[in-house]
Amino acid sequence: MTNKKKPGGWLESLKTVVYAGLIAIGIRTVAFEPFNIPSGSMIPTLLVGDYLFVSKYAYGYSKHSLPFSPDLFQGRIFGSLPTRGDVAVFKFPRDNSTDYIKRIIGLPGDRVQVRQGRLYLNRQEVPRESQGLYTVEGDGPRITVRLYRESLPASAGSPARQHQILEASDDQNYDNTPEFLVPAGHVFAMGDNRDNSLDSRDMSIGVGFVPMENLVGRAEMIFFSVDGSAAWWEVWAWPFAVRWDRLLTAVR
């Protein structure tokens, strides 16, 4: 009877690590990818310190669905248009590498304009309803601004969508714009923190029109959130820095 020599334990451990890595890459590529929010352009919907899952399958797959965006193919596979009002992650069109997250406001063929702080879609004013004041914290100096509920019109196969926005005033840099005609194969994106967002309203150094190919996925759920009040070494303070009420909440 011949005894077979068993492979070393280290080799089995290495295989386990490799398999786990491949599975993680596969999930990240085709299903969900985690992102964190480093800036306040999407307040009040998303706060600095939020961690969320983005569905990679929502709009189909492009080269930006893969780690490091390898130039393996052009366009999208199984592509579909976003719904007006989706919160989406995309690659900044000017470098095709930096991740941005904004709300999709305009679809191909839409006319988008802001006049005196009010959003117009296809030359119709988008309704907004005052909800009082909102204090912005965790993104620079503490300031109080106006809170509104905005109602975007329905898009094909989807009902009208409501979300909250912030306005410091109706006379800031991007509160009066020309009318933009969204070209085919592109979308128009804006931050919910309207006076503190570099987005599609700026065609020179800002986001401009976002190519569909640059879409990474749709924000789905906040799975973790911290307010930044505890340093990494202040272990005793970690539980008090977690925003427990935001955990496992859907992004709307």
Side-chain angles (χ1 to χ4, degrees), residues 33-110:
E33 183 175 354
F35 284 87
N36 76 292
I37 305 301
S39 70
S41 71
M42 282 297 292
I43 296 172
T45 304
L46 299 173
L47 305 181
V48 176
D50 282 349
Y51 290 77
L52 50 91
F53 285 124
V54 170
S55 59
K56 304 295 287 289
Y57 52 81
Y59 310 130
Y61 305 97
S62 74
K63 64 182 181 181
H64 297 300
S65 303
L66 302 171
F68 309 112
S69 302
D71 198 15
L72 299 178
F73 61 95
Q74 301 298 313
R76 302 195 76 83
I77 300 172
F78 308 121
S80 62
L81 273 177
T83 296
R84 191 182 289 120
D86 281 357
V87 177
V89 172
F90 56 87
K91 297 296 184 181
F92 184 49
R94 302 191 185 282
D95 63 15
N96 289 321
S97 62
T98 306
D99 290 322
Y100 270 53
I101 184 165
K102 307 288 181 184
R103 190 176 298 275
I104 304 300
I105 298 295
L107 301 177
D110 279 346

Side-chain angles (χ1 to χ4, degrees), residues 49-219:
D50 282 349
Y51 290 77
L52 50 91
F53 285 124
V54 170
S55 59
K56 304 295 287 289
Y57 52 81
Y59 310 130
Y61 305 97
S62 74
K63 64 182 181 181
H64 297 300
S65 303
L66 302 171
F68 309 112
S69 302
D71 198 15
L72 299 178
F73 61 95
Q74 301 298 313
R76 302 195 76 83
I77 300 172
F78 308 121
S80 62
L81 273 177
T83 296
R84 191 182 289 120
D86 281 357
V87 177
V89 172
F90 56 87
K91 297 296 184 181
F92 184 49
R94 302 191 185 282
D95 63 15
N96 289 321
S97 62
T98 306
D99 290 322
Y100 270 53
I101 184 165
K102 307 288 181 184
R103 190 176 298 275
I104 304 300
I105 298 295
L107 301 177
D110 279 346
R111 295 179 181 273
V112 183
Q113 187 176 22
V114 180
R115 300 203 304 261
Q116 296 182 329
R118 305 299 292 265
L119 175 63
Y120 288 78
L121 272 175
N122 299 318
R123 299 177 177 167
Q124 298 294 315
E125 184 177 328
V126 174
R128 74 179 191 187
E129 174 189 354
S130 176
Q131 294 193 302
L133 300 177
Y134 183 97
T135 300
V136 177
E137 298 179 290
D139 186 44
R142 190 172 184 264
I143 60 171
T144 299
V145 296
R146 289 175 291 175
L147 177 69
Y148 295 96
R149 177 185 287 118
E150 190 173 73
S151 301
L152 293 174
S155 51
S158 178
R161 301 273 291 273
Q162 292 186 332
H163 60 276
Q164 292 180 317
I165 64 169
L166 300 181
E167 285 278 8
S169 78
D170 285 333
D171 193 27
Q172 299 291 311
N173 288 339
Y174 301 120
D175 283 334
N176 289 282
T177 73
E179 183 179 80
F180 303 104
L181 176 60
V182 184
H186 294 72
V187 293
F188 192 97
M190 293 171 61
D192 290 346
N193 191 356
R194 292 288 165 79
D195 293 326
N196 188 25
S197 174
L198 189 64
D199 51 41
S200 291
R201 291 172 291 177
D202 190 333
M203 294 286 165
S204 56
I205 63 172
V207 171
F209 297 122
V210 181
M212 284 288 295
E213 184 179 51
N214 283 45
L215 293 175
V216 174
R218 182 178 63 212

